[in-house]
């Protein structure tokens, strides 16, 4: 009952704030001696990430890394009529800072987001440690509903210009079976065959050829979406984006039990709106939970996760940003063990980063 009262109080606070047209909360900047991360006061979106002492190039797209919860993509007709927005409530709600540490070897902030329509509460802690190019993120989602239910949760990570550049940025991950998303309206045409299965990274194109989805195309602008099953043999998955000329590497490591899918949103518009989504999630596509549950399982992998009645579930992942040695062209593996993040390139070169906290 205590959580239910907290949730109700949070809902009333948000309603009252809207009525008074409260201004959006200030953005937060969390930094250590290696990184500087800007977090928006609305939704806790990660909006800017910089390497301290280097050229100020953020890998994050204009829309940043936001949280799609509890909903990924379009709501059902009934949910829409009830007011549920696209990608759920989380990214639209005001955040409350409930704890912070801005000095010493550990810097952290803990945010709380109330989801009044879903009747859930998210508590999210972002941490950095000195001498590390790593950010750790732990999220707890708590339900006030007295029934088990499937949830939709995606870490909607996106990269954009100038980090995203035609012919110069490559994306790698340990994916296996993939499927091109069914048709989704957009401003530019796609090049991939809708609803066709393939093996990462070579996807079927409309001209009966194959496209390497690691690469940003250089011939034309396209809009495509494809989702991949992350390697079931791994406990920790990864996705990386490497700028070949700038020798900058950005990536994530996450637990497969939390997020067994990754959707690539390839919004190659050829301008500042361009984005490449690296969206690791509980489900394959950005569709309603009805559609998500109906497709279960896909490639032998569950397409949704349960949030038990009046219970809490947790996810953990990390992100990293660093320069890499000359010659890095394709990331074959990223491992986290013994306080070290080891990045292995196809060339045989490796980079080891300090990462004191495990997942």
């Amino acid at each position: 009952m205590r959580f239910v009262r907290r949730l109700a109080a949070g809902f009333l606070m948000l309603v009252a704030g809207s009525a008074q047209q409260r201004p959006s909360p200030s953005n937060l900047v969390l930094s250590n001696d290696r990184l500087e991360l800007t977090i928006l006061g609305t939704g806790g979106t990660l909006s800017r990430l910089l390497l301290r002492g280097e050229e100020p190039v953020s890998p994050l797209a204009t829309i940043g890394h936001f949280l799609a919860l509890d909903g990924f993509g379009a709501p059902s007709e009934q949910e829409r009529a009830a007011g549920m927005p696209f990608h759920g409530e989380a990214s639209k709600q005001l955040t409350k800072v409930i704890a912070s540490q801005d000095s010493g070897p550990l810097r952290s902030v803990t945010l709380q987001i109330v989801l009044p329509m879903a009747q859930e509460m998210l508590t999210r802690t972002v941490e950095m440690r000195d001498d590390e190019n790593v950010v750790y993120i732990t999220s707890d989602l708590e339900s006030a509903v007295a029934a088990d239910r499937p949830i939709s949760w995606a870490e909607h990570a996106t990269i954009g210009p100038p980090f995203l550049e035609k012919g110069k940025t490559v994306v790698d991950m340990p994916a296996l079976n993939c499927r091109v998303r069914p048709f989704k309206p957009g401003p530019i045409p796609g090049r991939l065959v809708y609803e066709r299965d393939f093996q990462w990274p070579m996807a079927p194109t409309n001209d009966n050829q194959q496209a390497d989805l690691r690469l940003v195309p250089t011939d034309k602008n396209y809009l495509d979406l494809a989702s991949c099953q992350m390697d079931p043999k791994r406990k920790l998955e990864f996705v990386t984006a490497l700028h070949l000329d700038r020798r900058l590497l950005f990536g994530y490591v996450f637990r497969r039990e939390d997020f067994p899918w990754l959707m690539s949103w390839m919004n190659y518009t050829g301008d500042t709106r361009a984005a490449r989504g690296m969206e690791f999630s509980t489900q394959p596509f950005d569709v309603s939970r009805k559609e998500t549950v109906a497709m279960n399982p896909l490639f032998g992998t569950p397409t949704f996760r349960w949030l038990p009645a009046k219970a809490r579930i947790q996810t953990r992942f990390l992100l990293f940003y660093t320069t890499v040695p000359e010659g890095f062209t394709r990331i074959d593996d990223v491992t986290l063990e013994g306080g070290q993040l080891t990045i292995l390139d196809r060339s045989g070169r490796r980079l080891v980063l300090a990462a004191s906290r495990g997942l």
Side-chain angles (χ1 to χ4, degrees), residues 55-74:
E55 185 181 1
V57 175
S58 174
L60 297 172
T62 302
I63 61 173
H65 171 155
F66 67 86
L67 186 61
L69 179 75
D70 185 348
F72 181 30

Side-chain angles (χ1 to χ4, degrees), residues 42-359:
T42 301
T45 295
L46 311 180
S47 67
R48 192 167 186 250
L49 179 66
L50 299 177
L51 273 170
R52 302 190 72 173
E54 300 286 343
E55 185 181 1
V57 175
S58 174
L60 297 172
T62 302
I63 61 173
H65 171 155
F66 67 86
L67 186 61
L69 179 75
D70 185 348
F72 181 30
S76 68
E77 182 179 344
Q78 294 83 359
E79 288 175 332
R80 186 182 300 108
M84 185 64 72
F86 197 91
H87 284 324
E89 300 172 81
S91 65
K92 290 84 175 173
Q93 299 291 356
L94 305 186
T95 57
K96 178 182 178 182
V97 177
I98 61 174
S100 64
Q101 174 68 40
D102 58 6
S103 63
L106 172 65
R107 319 292 171 85
S108 67
V109 62
T110 299
L111 308 172
Q112 198 168 75
I113 304 173
V114 174
L115 311 181
M117 284 186 282
Q119 297 184 51
E120 297 166 358
M121 180 180 287
L122 181 81
T123 304
R124 193 162 172 103
T125 299
V126 184
E127 296 179 311
M128 290 182 182
R129 297 176 185 271
D130 277 347
D131 303 318
E132 296 188 3
N133 291 65
V134 179
V135 180
Y136 306 91
I137 299 179
T138 302
S139 302
D140 291 282
L141 182 66
E142 198 169 356
S143 174
V145 177
D148 301 340
R149 60 179 172 185
I151 60 163
S152 295
W153 185 333
E155 297 292 339
H156 199 292
T158 60
I159 57 173
F163 184 92
L164 181 68
E165 190 172 355
K166 288 185 176 183
K168 297 181 180 180
T169 306
V170 294
V171 173
D172 289 298
M173 57 182 172
L176 297 180
N177 300 296
C178 307
R179 178 172 293 178
V180 181
R181 191 195 189 285
F183 172 74
K184 182 177 183 178
I188 52 178
R191 60 174 173 164
L192 304 184
V193 182
Y194 295 126
E195 299 185 78
R196 184 70 61 85
D197 294 347
F198 64 96
Q199 296 286 305
W200 172 263
M202 304 305 296
T205 60
N206 292 316
D207 59 358
N208 295 318
Q209 301 296 316
Q210 287 189 317
D212 186 346
L213 298 191
R214 298 181 57 250
L215 312 176
V216 182
T218 58
D219 56 345
K220 296 180 182 179
N221 298 327
Y222 299 103
L223 172 62
D224 287 296
L225 298 97
S227 189
C228 292
Q229 167 203 45
M230 303 304 288
D231 187 350
K233 295 180 181 179
R234 300 177 66 104
K235 291 184 178 180
L236 295 180
E237 309 287 358
F238 71 87
V239 60
T240 60
L242 172 64
H243 193 290
L244 299 171
D245 285 0
R246 296 178 186 270
R247 289 166 43 196
L248 292 172
L249 179 67
F250 173 63
Y252 293 88
V253 178
F254 52 94
R255 303 187 303 191
R256 188 178 189 277
E257 64 183 277
D258 297 336
F259 303 113
W261 297 97
L262 190 143
M263 191 177 79
S264 295
W265 172 47
M266 293 161 284
N267 187 46
Y268 298 137
T269 58
D271 55 23
T272 57
R273 299 170 299 165
R276 167 64 186 256
M278 307 189 300
E279 306 162 28
F280 45 105
S281 62
T282 59
Q283 65 196 62
F285 297 114
D286 55 340
V287 296
S288 72
R289 78 188 71 228
K290 283 184 178 180
E291 296 170 272
T292 296
V293 171
M295 71 173 67
N296 184 68
L298 180 62
F299 306 134
T301 297
T303 61
F304 64 91
R305 182 177 179 178
W306 288 104
L307 177 60
K310 293 192 176 181
R312 176 184 298 185
I313 60 174
Q314 184 180 88
T315 69
R316 295 172 65 187
F317 66 91
L318 65 79
L319 62 88
F320 60 93
Y321 192 28
T322 184
T323 58
V324 297
E326 188 173 354
F328 267 53
T329 59
R330 181 170 186 153
I331 306 303
D332 276 352
D333 201 7
V334 178
T335 58
L336 178 65
E337 187 176 6
Q340 293 183 328
L341 192 67
T342 302
I343 301 159
L344 180 64
D345 185 73
R346 178 63 58 90
S347 66
R349 295 175 174 87
R350 67 179 59 217
L351 175 65
V352 179
L353 302 177
S356 56
R357 181 173 178 179
L359 294 178

